[in-house]
Amino acid sequence: MEWGLQAVADFLIDETCHACRRRVNAARDLPHPRAAASIALDLPLTIGWGRRGLETRPLCRGCCRSLVPWVEPARIAGTPLTVWPAFETDDCLLSVIHALKFSRRERLASWLAGSLVRGLPARALSDHGDDIVLVPVPMDRGALRRRGFNQAERLASTWGEIAGVRVERRALVKTRATAPQSSLGREERVRNVVGAIEIGDRDAVAGKRVVLVDDLVTTGATASTCAAALGSAGACEVRVACVGYRP
């Protein structure tokens, strides 16, 4: 019921762009974006149930057009990890990610995952073969209880459903609370997650090629810690996929 009331309230009184805060309809006359991922973000989000749901757009078309798709994979500095982002990260994309994570806009997860799937180069998954699994970056129990959901898990679940790839939700566990990475410097981020992430289900990743899924990657400290745990459990390869990457 609480989710339903929020959805109705958003549709009636908050039909504004999450990035620029202008009315969404003010930019409807602009040309459609051309990039696949940006087109996905320009699609309406249905809130409600079944055919009676109401359509809304979290971003105006102007902001969708301003987002820059990330064309090629990148190497995370100081690590052997390859990251496959959907977008270059700017304030526009951050506003949507923050709405998902901190404003309890849980329904944005599937919408963001849609852009993730359409935005990533096809070979991000196609050269993995049948032994590929998606593994979301875990949250500690306290953070999960406060937020109510793990945004990385929601992204991985939607991606797995669309792409037909298995999602191993319990492959990794976060064993202790850590300070928010966004509040720390590069070296502090590395120290912050040391020993905080462990293998939860070794059999889920042993002999597998793993795509680690997160919403946002910056220094790669969390991703590196996850990759080390996955490698110790016998994962053949670990690469990272995310909505936004800000090196």
Side-chain angles (χ1 to χ4, degrees), residues 5 168 210 228:
L5 291 175
E168 296 292 353
V210 175

Side-chain angles (χ1 to χ4, degrees), residues 30-242:
L30 291 174
H32 289 278
R34 295 182 179 181
S38 298
I39 291 172
L41 288 172
D42 190 43
L43 295 174
L45 171 69
T46 301
I47 55 178
W49 300 268
R51 296 181 179 179
R52 298 182 179 180
L54 303 174
E55 289 188 350
T56 186
R57 285 175 169 81
L59 287 181
C60 71
R61 183 163 294 168
C63 287
C64 289
R65 287 171 55 84
S66 73
L67 292 173
V68 179
W70 198 290
V71 179
E72 295 292 336
R75 180 62 58 87
I76 300 177
T79 78
L81 291 175
T82 299
V83 59
W84 299 73
F87 297 105
E88 293 183 11
T89 304
D90 59 10
D91 290 341
C92 177
L93 184 63
L94 282 176
S95 67
V96 179
I97 292 176
H98 288 170
L100 166 65
K101 295 171 68 170
F102 306 124
S103 301
R104 298 189 63 85
R105 303 298 178 89
E106 184 176 355
R107 66 190 184 282
L108 290 180
S110 60
W111 182 74
L112 276 175
S115 70
L116 179 67
V117 172
R118 293 167 176 83
L120 290 175
R123 64 184 185 278
L125 294 178
S126 62
D127 64 351
H128 265 61
D130 296 332
D131 56 350
I132 180 176
V133 294
L134 302 179
V135 174
V137 170
M139 294 176 66
D140 67 82
R141 291 183 178 179
L144 183 60
R145 184 168 58 251
R146 290 189 299 272
R147 185 170 297 171
F149 67 99
N150 178 354
Q151 71 279 354
E153 181 178 329
R154 292 303 174 94
L155 289 166
S157 297
T158 303
W159 192 10
E161 182 178 348
I162 293 174
V165 178
R166 191 167 78 254
V167 180
E168 296 292 353
R169 297 169 179 80
R170 296 179 178 84
L172 292 172
V173 293
K174 193 169 184 182
T175 57
R176 63 175 174 83
T178 56
Q181 292 286 74
S182 59
S183 65
L184 304 176
R186 181 177 294 271
E187 294 183 1
E188 292 174 313
R189 292 184 183 204
V190 174
R191 292 194 296 268
N192 190 42
V193 294
V194 170
I197 296 173
E198 299 178 355
I199 284 293
D201 186 349
R202 185 175 297 269
D203 293 338
V205 297
K208 303 294 184 181
R209 300 181 186 274
V210 175
V211 177
L212 183 69
V213 181
D214 206 358
D215 56 343
L216 181 65
V217 174
T218 51
T219 63
T222 300
S224 295
T225 301
C226 290
L230 292 165
S232 70
C236 295
E237 178 189 353
V238 179
R239 60 177 61 173
V240 184
C242 57

